[in-house]
Amino acid sequence: MAQPILGHGNLQPASAAGLASLELDSSLDQYVQIRIFKIIVIGDSNVGKTCLTFRFCGGTFPDKTEATIGVDFREKTVEIEGEKIKVQVWDTAGQERFRKSMVEHYYRNVHAVVFVYDVTKMTSFTNLKMWIQECNGHAVPPLVPKVLVGNKCDLREQIQVPSNLALKFADAHNMLLFETSAKDPKESQNVESIFMCLACRLKAQKSLLYRDAERQQGKVQKLEFPQEANSKTSCPC
Amino acid sequence: MAVRSAQDDGPTSSRWDGGAGKADFNAKRKKKVAEIYQALNSDPTDVAALRRMAISEGGLLTDEIRRKVWPKLLNVNTNDPPPISGNDLREMSKDYQQVLLDVRRSLRRFPPGMPEEQREGLQEELIDIILLILERNPQLHYYQGYHDIVVTFLLVVGEKLATSLVEKLSTHHLRDFMDPTMDNTKHILNYLMPIIDQVNPDLHDFMQSAEVGTIFALSWLITWFGHVLSDFRHVVRLYDFFLACHPLMPIYFAAVIVLYREQEVLDCDCDMASVHHLLSQIPQDLPYETLISRAGDLFVQFPPSELAREAAAQQQAEKTAASTFKDFELASAQQRPDMVLRQRFRGLLRPEERTKDVLTKPRTNRFVKLAVMGLTVALGAAALAVVKSALEWAPKFQLQLFP
């Protein structure tokens, strides 16, 4: 079976046209793959994990979000340098009791981890240590990119976590720091750039799951791809 | 107690027998209301009949009836003074912050169009009820989603009665969700796939190979679907059903929903994300009555005790799994399954004995099972059987009902 090679221009977006041509021409060279990029979002209760993921995947700030129970899933297809990548975002419950036995399943094969804290709530920041332990406990490899997101920046007068403190923490743990607001429409680009930045890094760096666009009996093959490309990206970061 | 006379209609059947049309529907409804009141008025209260009414088509029909029947289903005496606390719970409770966060965000649970002031008042009551129950029952632990259950009771029966009802519920049906960890909850979720496997092995295999897990059903289970259904009428209809049944019925109902969506699932990409995404978005227009009767049938055909082994196998890593379930059953068979009791049984029974008990138990159901299997929509029979098994765990009154 012909396998696409990363970074050599063989990959094509899974457009309707692409699929149609597949039907006409069964040549396996035309194999269309969409890479899947899996991100897990973790952090204390009520720091805004759900809103952030909504903002990224849906574009808007939901005015009524509720406590997340267990794990929610959202996805968005983004295009980076002409390649379509499916970004899967796993939004998790913040309450401690859900972490232990419930969420572990969703740490498997993650490509990146987003840690979220609330800039107006110091405990959500100090608890990050525990979240990092939690993450390590689930055997997330050290090379998996991690970013730190301070949310609710629009509440300027209530800020408890100074940027320099957060930056120090991020540096110490080899993470990029973003301060943003899922609520503020002006910040929506910033929210997007968090996930896009991760997507870019991953596109450039790691093996991603490939989704075979040619579906056979509704089944989709998953292929692990070796790291191959280290193409220069035109990413914002 | 408000009582309406309805002595003419005999409580002979809870089934809607044949016929169609609006007038017919109204007549049936009227008849059911009469039957419910008759069961309420008989001395002693005919709780078995009330259970059948709560399960059969339409459930308990109105909130007015629910206010009277729910306490009976939970064996709560409405004349008892509601529990109160002299302490400042908001100061003292370790859970206050989490409860506050969850309740503040629970706007969607209140009827749209309710004045803000009224809603905020109810939210305060909601916090008070939760903290009070937690204070009085230190063995219970708050979980996100508990508030979705409590709000349902608050909206239907009001603060005072809600406190008594939810307290009872929390020490019975919800108790496993309120353990210090979610291990028992996870164990209950492990019943989902074996149930699906019994009915539709292909669907089961597809889901297994997608590695979808069971977390998509977590919020369904621990909120009794209160978290995921936006139409309150559907929520209370399900609560009628679950209050009348065995504590594991919600997992059967979850399985029935998955089975109902078989084609959608099989059309989905066979990967965790796609299947999880599909299943966690619950359709709002489910045929609830049909699904309820199907869940009842499944419960009768594949009672928990028959699935316990497979459910335990799903959780090989969990060393407590098998004994946990047995405890659950044992405790359920008792009138007050509190922690002391659980520990006592844990000490008394050796594992082999537990297993033996599990194996012998289903036989008592055989007759009912055979009667039900041939029926397509076996509402009446299934309802009856479900009632019987519910009575195995139900508090106190069961003894006088089945002499």
Side-chain angles (χ1 to χ4, degrees):
Chain A
M1 190 189 286
Q3 293 187 340
I5 300 161
L6 243 170
H8 289 255
N10 289 16
L11 292 176
Q12 294 179 359
S15 62
L19 286 169
S21 71
L22 250 178
E23 280 167 21
L24 295 172
D25 176 5
S26 62
S27 158
L28 289 173
D29 294 334
Q30 301 243 347
Y31 241 75
V32 181
Q33 309 271 352
I34 298 182
R35 290 206 281 175
I36 295 171
F37 172 28
K38 185 174 164 188
I39 304 176
I40 189 166
V41 182
I42 57 179
D44 273 10
S45 195
N46 204 46
V47 295
K49 298 179 292 295
T50 301
C51 290
L52 273 174
T53 60
F54 258 110
R55 178 62 105 179
F56 172 66
C57 295
T60 52
F61 179 77
D63 56 341
K64 287 182 194 171
T65 54
E66 294 182 87
T68 303
I69 295 173
V71 181
D72 275 346
F73 167 82
R74 283 168 203 100
E75 73 179 356
K76 178 177 179 175
T77 304
V78 299
E79 193 168 325
I80 298 170
E81 292 182 311
E83 180 186 355
K84 281 198 172 145
I85 293 181
K86 197 166 267 189
V87 181
Q88 296 183 340
V89 183
W90 295 87
D91 175 25
T92 62
Q95 196 192 5
E96 187 174 0
R97 66 195 345 265
F98 289 102
R99 295 172 208 162
K100 298 281 181 305
S101 48
M102 292 296 170
V103 177
E104 61 199 355
H105 191 61
Y106 301 90
Y107 275 92
R108 262 196 295 171
N109 307 321
V110 290
H111 297 106
V113 184
V114 175
F115 294 88
V116 188
Y117 67 96
D118 173 351
V119 294
T120 69
K121 202 170 170 195
M122 187 49 103
T123 50
S124 73
F125 179 75
T126 49
N127 280 341
L128 285 169
K129 279 203 191 88
M130 197 192 53
W131 282 108
I132 287 171
Q133 271 177 13
E134 181 80 16
C135 183
N136 294 339
H138 288 293
V140 176
L143 276 175
V144 165
K146 300 176 182 77
V147 296
L148 186 59
V149 177
N151 193 26
K152 307 195 187 180
C153 280
D154 54 306
L155 304 171
R156 281 195 189 81
E157 64 288 359
Q158 296 171 39
I159 289 178
Q160 286 185 4
V161 184
S163 297
N164 56 358
L165 186 65
L167 200 57
K168 224 168 117 185
F169 183 86
D171 280 348
H173 292 90
N174 196 23
M175 297 191 268
L176 280 175
L177 172 70
F178 293 83
E179 286 184 330
T180 189
S181 162
K183 193 174 185 179
D184 187 351
K186 282 173 281 180
E187 287 278 335
S188 69
Q189 287 239 284
N190 199 355
V191 172
E192 174 137 350
S193 69
I194 296 167
F195 292 94
M196 288 302 280
C197 178
L198 280 169
C200 290
R201 274 180 71 175
L202 276 141
K203 177 175 160 60
Q205 169 211 16
K206 281 216 64 167
S207 64
L208 292 185
L209 284 180
Y210 271 74
R211 176 179 292 204
D212 191 344
E214 186 188 50
R215 290 169 192 164
Q216 292 167 333
Q217 297 137 9
K219 295 247 177 188
V220 169
Q221 294 179 330
K222 291 174 197 166
L223 306 167
E224 279 290 349
F225 265 77
Q227 175 174 338
E228 232 177 280
N230 54 13
S231 57
K232 293 165 204 81
T233 66
S234 57
C235 282
C237 48
Chain B
M1 200 198 292
V3 163
R4 276 200 306 228
S5 173
Q7 304 299 323
D8 314 340
D9 277 322
T12 46
S13 168
S14 64
R15 224 186 308 184
W16 306 127
D17 304 300
K22 270 257 154 67
D24 203 29
F25 173 82
N26 284 333
K28 280 174 182 169
R29 189 183 164 94
K30 223 170 151 185
K31 180 162 179 262
K32 185 167 187 181
V33 170
E35 284 173 6
I36 292 171
Y37 278 101
Q38 184 173 32
L40 274 171
N41 292 342
S42 56
D43 187 19
T45 308
D46 189 352
V47 179
L50 293 178
R51 279 178 196 278
R52 283 199 300 276
M53 303 293 157
I55 294 167
S56 64
E57 188 173 348
L60 295 173
L61 305 170
T62 69
D63 284 359
E64 190 195 335
I65 294 176
R66 290 187 176 98
R67 279 191 281 277
K68 299 192 177 81
V69 176
W70 283 5
K72 302 293 177 201
L73 296 179
L74 286 165
N75 196 30
V76 166
N77 186 345
T78 48
N79 295 322
D80 289 346
I84 46 161
S85 169
N87 295 317
D88 184 349
L89 296 175
R90 300 195 181 201
E91 291 263 297
M92 295 170 52
S93 171
K94 66 175 168 47
D95 295 303
Y96 174 56
Q97 285 305 325
Q98 186 71 57
V99 173
L100 184 68
L101 290 175
D102 295 342
V103 170
R104 287 240 172 101
R105 291 185 283 175
S106 66
L107 305 180
R108 285 208 302 140
R109 297 281 84 82
F110 296 89
M114 177 182 273
E116 198 169 314
E117 210 170 288
Q118 189 188 356
R119 193 205 65 224
E120 284 169 359
L122 286 167
Q123 285 179 302
E124 291 303 307
E125 291 177 6
L126 184 52
I127 295 171
D128 290 338
I129 296 173
I130 294 172
L131 294 182
L132 179 58
I133 292 170
L134 294 172
E135 191 217 20
R136 287 166 49 88
N137 301 275
Q139 80 278 17
L140 301 180
H141 298 261
Y142 176 74
Y143 62 87
Q144 289 188 305
Y146 185 64
H147 65 296
D148 288 312
I149 295 222
V150 183
V151 76
T152 308
F153 283 88
L154 176 63
L155 291 174
V156 174
V157 304
E159 182 178 12
K160 283 182 184 149
L161 193 48
T163 312
S164 308
L165 296 187
V166 179
E167 182 167 40
K168 187 56 127 345
L169 193 70
S170 304
T171 51
H172 290 83
H173 294 68
L174 307 180
R175 194 200 52 218
D176 282 62
F177 311 144
M178 304 189 77
D179 277 351
T181 70
M182 301 211 71
D183 291 346
N184 278 350
T185 305
K186 200 175 170 188
H187 179 64
I188 294 172
L189 281 172
N190 283 339
Y191 279 76
L192 183 65
M193 295 308 288
I195 299 169
I196 293 170
D197 194 23
Q198 297 287 338
V199 182
N200 189 334
D202 291 344
L203 182 62
H204 169 268
D205 294 349
F206 182 89
M207 290 173 68
Q208 289 291 39
S209 56
E211 298 183 321
V212 63
T214 50
I215 303 298
F216 66 84
L218 174 65
S219 68
W220 306 356
L221 177 69
I222 66 178
T223 71
W224 280 10
F225 297 82
H227 188 75
V228 287
L229 299 181
S230 47
D231 190 330
F232 195 67
R233 287 170 307 176
H234 298 152
V235 176
V236 288
R237 170 67 188 99
L238 286 179
Y239 277 45
D240 293 340
F241 177 49
F242 295 145
L243 282 169
C245 292
H246 188 282
L248 286 178
M249 188 56 85
I251 201 72
Y252 283 78
F253 194 77
V256 163
I257 291 182
V258 176
L259 289 162
Y260 175 74
R261 304 185 71 193
E262 170 192 1
Q263 204 48 55
E264 283 175 89
V265 176
L266 293 176
D267 288 345
C268 201
D269 291 345
C270 188
D271 62 55
M272 180 171 89
S274 309
V275 182
H276 177 101
H277 187 56
L278 175 82
L279 287 174
S280 58
Q281 309 292 313
I282 205 163
Q284 296 295 321
D285 57 349
L286 292 169
Y288 292 94
E289 297 300 337
T290 311
L291 297 184
I292 283 172
S293 101
R294 243 182 242 172
D297 288 349
L298 281 189
F299 188 92
V300 174
Q301 286 186 51
F302 313 110
S305 45
E306 287 193 357
L307 299 170
R309 195 180 294 266
E310 284 157 85
Q314 297 252 328
Q315 200 170 350
Q316 311 115 327
E318 221 68 52
K319 45 184 186 296
T320 56
S323 63
T324 298
F325 178 69
K326 197 51 210 160
D327 286 346
F328 182 85
E329 281 226 314
L330 277 173
S332 295
Q334 301 304 314
Q335 295 167 12
R336 292 197 181 275
D338 53 26
M339 295 308 279
V340 179
L341 199 62
R342 300 180 80 189
Q343 274 155 16
R344 212 181 87 215
F345 275 110
R346 222 170 239 156
L348 278 178
L349 285 184
R350 293 208 307 277
E352 322 84 78
E353 286 166 332
R354 291 175 185 170
T355 318
K356 199 173 131 207
D357 202 17
V358 166
L359 291 175
T360 50
K361 202 165 177 199
R363 293 213 181 106
T364 56
N365 281 337
R366 183 146 296 161
F367 172 72
V368 186
K369 266 165 59 186
L370 290 172
V372 167
M373 275 180 203
L375 303 173
T376 44
V377 181
L379 193 63
L384 185 64
V386 173
V387 166
K388 280 196 168 165
S389 75
L391 286 168
E392 285 169 11
W393 62 266
K396 283 198 186 206
F397 45 69
Q398 64 187 80
L399 298 170
Q400 64 220 34
L401 287 169
F402 286 96

